[in-house]
Amino acid sequence: MLISWNWISDFVDLSGIDPEATAARLTMAGLEVAGVDKLCPDSLSRVVSAQITELTPHPEADKLSLCKVTDGKEEFSIVCGAHNMKSGDFVALAPLKTRLPNGMTIKKAKIRGIVSIGMLCSAAEMGFDDESSGIMILPANSPLGEPVIDLLGLQDTILEFEITPNRGDCLSVIGVAREIAAIYKRSFTLPEIKLDEGSQKSSELAAINIADSDLCPRYVGRVVNNVVLGQSPLWLKARLKAAGVRPISNVVDVTNYVMLETGQPLHAFDLDLLAGAQINVRRAGSDNKFTTLDEEERQIDPETLMICDGKEPVAIAGIMGGLNSEINPETRNVLIESAFFLPASIRRSARILNLGTEASYRFERGVDSQATARAAARAAELLQELAQGKVALGAIDVCPQPRQMPEITFRPTKANSLLGLKLDIDAIKDILHRLDIEIVKESEASLIVVPPAWRFDLEREVDLIEEVARLFGYDQVPVTAATLSDPEVIDVPEVAALARVRETVLAFGYSEAVNYSFIDPRAVAKLDFDSESRFFDFVRLKNPISSEMAVMRTSLLPGLLTNLNDNLRVNVKNVRLFEVGRTFYALTDQKQPSEELFISGVACGRRYHEHFSASDEVVDFFDLKGLLEEIARALHLELNYVGENYFPCLTPGQAATIKLGPLEVGCVGQLHHKAAQAYGLDQDVFVFELFLPPLFEMSAKVAVTYQGLARFPAVFRDLAFLVNNSIDAGALLEYMRAQHKLLAAVEVFDLFQGDSLPEGKKSLAFRLTFQDMNKTLTDKKVNAIIAKLIQGIESTFQGEVR
């Protein structure tokens, strides 16, 4: 936001204050000034006021004139092509060697045989206007030889502000002037508005009705008749351009000028184009199409607040006016709108329409609801002065819901405690007074205060404490060492369990991936899940970044498989990735989705790093199964694996469902070649996905016990059984581990299938470890246990010992 230093001086005395120093003080007070620049380049100070003493036609050119001008010290002979001047006029003279903003340097020249010494400038050539029809004519009796920028008040400095969202009150000249007055302890003054009102009341010329007062608590209208549309004066154009606003016409420029000055956006309606000469403020409802001033037809949400006449909408409240009521060359009677709209409503509508304007920018942050009438009066005053308008008597002020400012309890002791200061009560009251914060009640321990209507950001005691710090000076707050303490740290079981899981997976050589929670729904379809499964219960985004991020993920695998493809494309062939994250599932008749925590992983390529001493073995199903068993061991749990009900994207015979007791908690296996091809993967890929909450819940219930090292030797035995191919090794392991307390461990060390075995059979070999903590086991005892095991397997699994 750009603000003129001279404009600020209309409201606060700036004598003895340097703009650069003020910029630093404002920045330290939380109002960042990003730059300080002069409005006009120094070279323009060479352009001075002069008077035409003689004007004659050029003897060799019909369209040129010979001007004799004086700056009060010497006379100049100048050839000029303009025709809007006459002898006696006061003009802007650029003497030789003057450099103009357009890059032109004035040199002595011979034009059609006549020497021209200098140049008479137009407003456009001096950078004050976009175009000019002739040279600049200065006010009569202007002092000669004075820099034109001084005469016109254009010797100015422009401050560029970067206003934070909470300080909407500073999106105006008046707001910044208040801050400067508070910082420098100077008085802030609002000049008196002088209106020459007619006898006919505004309320007799127009009517205003607010149907939805929850979105528009106040609406003020002012009627100005018989305006003469034209160009704004140079001083107003210069201030608008300095603020980055393009001048249009005097009526439109006045509304922009007042918005920049007061922070209150205004809108000027052609009163004669308003059906029934009335304004109705209401939600759009069924009026779902509207053409704005930029000639764009827009789709309007039913909840968007609209300004309507007696027939149809004429403006989107607080955002942009309509083409059907705009100011045009035929406009004679104007209705000025100055309103307070609910910030949340304007913010919502602007986002839906994807339409941001200077007006919506201010309304979204909140405007002073108590200054709407003054802003309308200020606009009427300027229209009276600059457009010869006749101001109707009074304003139409509809305020069904006056805004009440909150009472806040402020404790000086609390402020000093938080800030590390020792301010007395008088110093604090002085700061509050400079900020126009009213003290309504005072006690020994606290103050009850009411913030001004323009400060939307002051809601709590800490907000007021921040104001005290700002005005006292952040740089004046003493630096003190922080008080260190040793608070009691309480481990959250779930967090500790997740940390153990992460450590385990990282120890297996996996790298952690972090993906967006948004995915392409087509990525889930590639995994061949049943269309009726929960993997298609998508939570869809209303405003997705792209079609490839349109839904919340229902599985971590699509993201990891995409990561894997990215690695393979750059020739990284040995990949191990995992991700811990939440998945999201839409629930019928519920607004909030279900969120579930999973860990998933993908692996492919070599089992070991490439080295002359390492084998060329590749990752297989058992590598991932071993990782999952180690995760379970870290959580003091035991997982089971069954070859059924696994994900359809996995390869039969190379996949299993993971169970924790009777509960299915995940899947592991080789990615089916069709799914791999769908993701552009041309090698064997193994994946797993594990639902973590039940593991954490069960782990928290496990009582971890410790025992000393065995003092007596263990006994080892190997057993091999011939069983049906349909029988899982895990089932035999589970059976044997439950048979005797002296059987300390059972492991599978061999699987054999071949033509030498009966059809439909396989051989499973197990290593059994027997351990007694109290004595040495005898062969007799071990053999008895083994005999019982063999008998049980033969009867339970129809197995044969080999």
Side-chain angles (χ1 to χ4, degrees):
M1 185 183 69
L2 305 173
I3 290 185
S4 154
W5 184 254
N6 288 348
W7 201 348
I8 295 171
S9 69
D10 291 350
F11 305 97
V12 62
D13 179 16
L14 298 177
S15 58
I17 302 177
D18 176 64
E20 293 278 358
T22 302
R25 291 283 297 273
L26 286 168
T27 299
M28 286 303 298
L31 212 64
E32 183 179 356
V33 181
V36 180
D37 296 298
K38 290 185 177 180
L39 174 61
C40 300
D42 291 336
S43 60
L44 271 187
S45 61
R46 292 178 53 83
V47 180
V48 298
S49 57
Q51 186 176 24
I52 299 175
T53 58
E54 184 180 335
L55 182 65
T56 59
H58 192 293
E60 299 297 330
D62 296 338
K63 295 184 178 181
L64 299 178
S65 301
L66 299 180
C67 302
K68 289 189 181 299
V69 300
T70 178
D71 64 358
K73 296 178 182 178
E74 58 181 306
E75 192 171 74
F76 302 83
S77 178
I78 296 175
V79 177
C80 183
H83 301 283
N84 66 318
M85 68 288 190
K86 62 182 183 298
S87 180
D89 280 348
F90 289 80
V91 293
L93 168 65
L96 298 180
K97 298 183 180 180
T98 299
R99 183 176 178 82
L100 298 177
N102 60 10
M104 178 191 298
T105 300
I106 306 304
K107 299 178 181 179
K108 185 176 180 179
K110 183 180 285 188
I111 303 174
R112 295 291 185 94
I114 303 294
V115 176
S116 181
I117 304 173
M119 174 178 168
L120 301 183
C121 299
S122 68
E125 288 163 337
M126 295 184 69
F128 301 155
D129 211 339
D130 292 330
E131 56 183 30
S132 299
S133 58
I135 63 171
M136 182 186 296
I137 305 299
L138 300 176
N141 300 318
S142 296
L144 297 177
E146 292 293 321
V148 170
I149 56 178
D150 287 345
L151 290 174
L152 298 177
L154 301 177
Q155 189 72 272
D156 201 357
T157 301
I158 304 301
L159 279 65
E160 181 181 358
F161 288 87
E162 293 185 358
I163 306 297
T164 53
N166 65 313
R167 291 306 303 272
D169 61 297
C170 288
L171 292 171
S172 65
V173 176
I174 285 177
V176 172
R178 281 197 184 103
E179 283 290 302
I180 294 175
I183 290 170
Y184 284 96
K185 300 183 181 181
R186 300 198 174 189
S187 61
F188 170 82
T189 305
L190 284 174
E192 180 185 357
I193 294 175
K194 298 177 181 179
L195 294 175
D196 183 14
E197 296 178 306
S199 58
Q200 192 171 19
K201 296 179 179 179
S202 292
S203 57
E204 295 173 357
L205 299 170
I208 295 173
N209 174 62
I210 301 177
D212 291 310
S213 59
D214 57 324
L215 303 185
C216 177
R218 189 177 188 187
Y219 193 105
V220 176
R222 271 270 185 186
V223 175
V224 181
N225 294 317
N226 301 323
V227 296
V228 178
L229 222 65
Q231 291 295 307
S232 298
L234 185 60
W235 66 266
L236 192 144
K237 285 184 176 181
R239 283 190 170 180
L240 289 180
K241 291 187 71 176
V245 177
R246 180 175 62 89
I248 299 173
S249 68
N250 52 2
V251 175
V252 177
D253 291 351
V254 161
T255 60
N256 287 331
Y257 182 88
V258 174
M259 177 187 70
L260 294 172
E261 181 176 84
T262 66
Q264 171 67 55
L266 303 178
H267 188 70
F269 294 102
D270 186 324
L271 182 58
D272 298 323
L273 295 180
L274 297 178
Q278 60 182 276
I279 289 291
N280 293 300
V281 186
R282 61 170 174 82
R283 286 175 168 85
S286 59
D287 293 318
N288 56 7
K289 288 187 178 180
F290 181 69
T291 304
T292 45
L293 283 171
D294 55 3
E295 300 184 8
E296 289 283 335
E297 185 177 76
R298 302 183 184 276
Q299 193 75 22
I300 305 298
D301 182 81
E303 289 297 308
T304 296
L305 190 67
M306 302 296 290
I307 309 300
C308 308
D309 60 11
K311 179 183 176 183
E312 60 185 355
V314 292
I316 304 174
I319 300 177
M320 186 177 284
L323 199 62
N324 54 356
S325 61
E326 71 170 331
I327 301 299
N328 60 78
E330 305 302 320
T331 297
R332 292 295 174 266
N333 303 309
V334 173
L335 175 66
I336 301 168
E337 169 197 274
S338 179
F340 175 77
F341 300 116
L342 189 70
S345 171
I346 303 302
R347 189 180 306 116
R348 175 185 179 276
S349 298
R351 297 298 181 274
I352 291 174
L353 292 167
N354 193 25
L355 179 61
T357 62
E358 288 288 338
S360 67
Y361 187 74
R362 287 165 171 79
F363 278 125
E364 287 177 24
R365 286 155 178 78
V367 299
D368 183 358
S369 61
Q370 296 179 10
T372 51
R374 190 183 194 282
R378 174 64 169 146
E381 179 186 39
L382 290 172
L383 289 179
Q384 175 182 272
E385 175 187 345
L386 306 178
Q388 295 90 55
K390 305 299 179 184
V391 182
L393 182 62
I396 309 169
D397 191 346
V398 183
C399 187
Q401 294 190 25
R403 181 165 171 256
Q404 298 296 323
M405 298 305 296
E407 288 189 351
I408 305 172
T409 300
F410 178 83
R411 295 166 293 171
T413 53
K414 181 68 173 178
N416 281 324
S417 173
L418 281 178
L419 300 177
L421 299 175
K422 295 180 180 179
L423 296 175
D424 59 39
I425 187 64
D426 290 333
I428 289 175
K429 287 167 68 175
D430 174 63
I431 290 174
L432 297 178
H433 174 73
R434 284 150 54 193
L435 291 168
D436 291 300
I437 298 173
E438 181 185 3
I439 300 174
V440 295
K441 189 177 179 180
E442 182 176 352
S443 67
E444 186 176 339
S446 65
L447 304 173
I448 306 298
V449 303
V450 176
W454 57 83
R455 291 300 300 270
F456 277 75
D457 58 320
L458 302 183
E459 299 176 337
R460 303 169 298 165
E461 183 181 30
V462 289
D463 299 328
L464 299 174
I465 294 173
E466 181 185 7
E467 293 301 292
V468 171
R470 285 197 320 111
L471 269 290
F472 179 75
Y474 289 126
D475 54 339
Q476 301 300 313
V477 176
V479 178
T480 55
T483 302
L484 300 179
S485 61
D486 187 14
E488 181 183 358
V489 177
I490 301 175
D491 286 335
V492 178
E494 292 81 1
V495 174
L498 182 57
R500 294 201 301 273
V501 170
R502 272 197 170 96
E503 290 170 3
T504 301
V505 183
L506 290 169
F508 270 65
Y510 283 71
S511 298
E512 185 169 4
V514 180
N515 289 298
Y516 283 112
S517 296
F518 317 132
I519 62 170
D520 187 340
R522 293 172 296 183
V524 177
K526 292 178 182 178
L527 295 176
D528 201 28
F529 291 120
D530 186 345
S531 60
E532 299 298 320
S533 71
R534 66 196 307 248
F535 292 99
F536 288 91
D537 293 338
F538 294 125
V539 177
R540 299 186 180 275
L541 303 183
K542 288 187 176 180
N543 187 24
I545 299 172
S546 70
S547 60
E548 295 179 352
M549 305 177 79
V551 300
M552 303 293 284
R553 63 189 179 190
T554 53
S555 171
L556 304 183
L557 289 177
L560 287 171
L561 291 171
T562 302
N563 299 149
L564 179 59
N565 177 265
D566 292 338
N567 279 274
L568 295 176
R569 282 192 295 105
V570 294
N571 207 35
V572 179
K573 299 297 185 183
N574 307 313
V575 182
R576 287 182 174 89
L577 291 174
F578 80 98
E579 181 173 11
V580 176
R582 296 189 179 278
T583 58
F584 305 84
Y585 309 92
L587 299 176
T588 306
D589 300 327
Q590 293 190 36
K591 290 185 177 180
Q592 297 300 323
S594 170
E595 298 184 30
E596 299 179 0
L597 184 65
F598 279 84
I599 181 171
S600 294
V602 296
C604 69
R606 296 167 60 98
R607 176 172 292 148
Y608 308 108
H609 288 297
E610 192 169 354
H611 191 264
F612 70 87
S613 64
S615 69
D616 293 333
E617 296 174 0
V618 295
V619 173
D620 63 17
F621 172 87
F622 295 101
D623 289 285
L624 270 68
K625 182 172 178 286
L627 168 61
L628 293 168
E629 288 176 345
E630 195 60 34
I631 290 174
R633 190 173 293 113
L635 297 175
H636 312 294
L637 300 174
E638 185 173 321
L639 299 175
N640 298 316
Y641 304 85
V642 295
E644 56 187 19
N645 298 328
Y646 48 78
F647 289 168
C649 61
L650 301 181
T651 303
Q654 288 289 315
T657 296
I658 307 168
K659 301 185 76 172
L660 178 64
L663 181 66
E664 293 184 1
V665 292
C667 277
V668 58
Q670 181 181 347
L671 190 68
H672 197 283
H673 69 89
K674 288 176 61 178
Q677 288 176 359
Y679 276 91
L681 307 174
D682 58 0
Q683 63 186 83
D684 291 346
V685 176
F686 293 85
V687 304
F688 72 86
E689 187 154 87
L690 191 61
F691 185 39
L692 292 175
L695 275 68
F696 293 164
E697 182 180 352
M698 187 65 70
S699 177
K701 297 177 180 178
V702 175
V704 180
T705 58
Y706 298 90
Q707 62 182 25
L709 295 174
R711 291 183 298 154
F712 302 97
V715 177
F716 302 95
R717 293 284 190 274
D718 292 341
L719 284 177
F721 294 97
L722 194 65
V723 295
N724 293 329
N725 285 334
S726 61
I727 295 176
D728 295 330
L732 274 73
L733 285 170
E734 185 177 0
Y735 175 81
M736 286 190 282
R737 287 168 180 166
Q739 294 309 302
H740 204 285
K741 64 180 182 179
L742 295 181
L743 183 58
V746 184
E747 295 177 352
V748 177
F749 71 86
D750 185 51
L751 164 67
F752 176 72
Q753 292 175 300
D755 295 338
S756 61
L757 297 179
E759 185 178 354
K761 298 287 185 177
K762 63 183 177 183
S763 174
L764 288 171
F766 300 89
R767 174 151 296 166
L768 287 70
T769 303
F770 296 90
Q771 180 80 62
D772 191 329
M773 302 299 291
N774 301 312
K775 60 184 178 182
T776 301
L777 284 172
T778 63
D779 286 342
K780 181 178 179 181
K781 180 67 174 177
V782 171
N783 291 338
I785 298 172
I786 290 176
K788 185 177 179 181
L789 284 175
I790 293 172
Q791 183 180 0
I793 289 174
E794 288 177 342
S795 61
T796 305
F797 298 97
Q798 289 74 52
E800 298 177 33
V801 68
R802 296 186 69 194

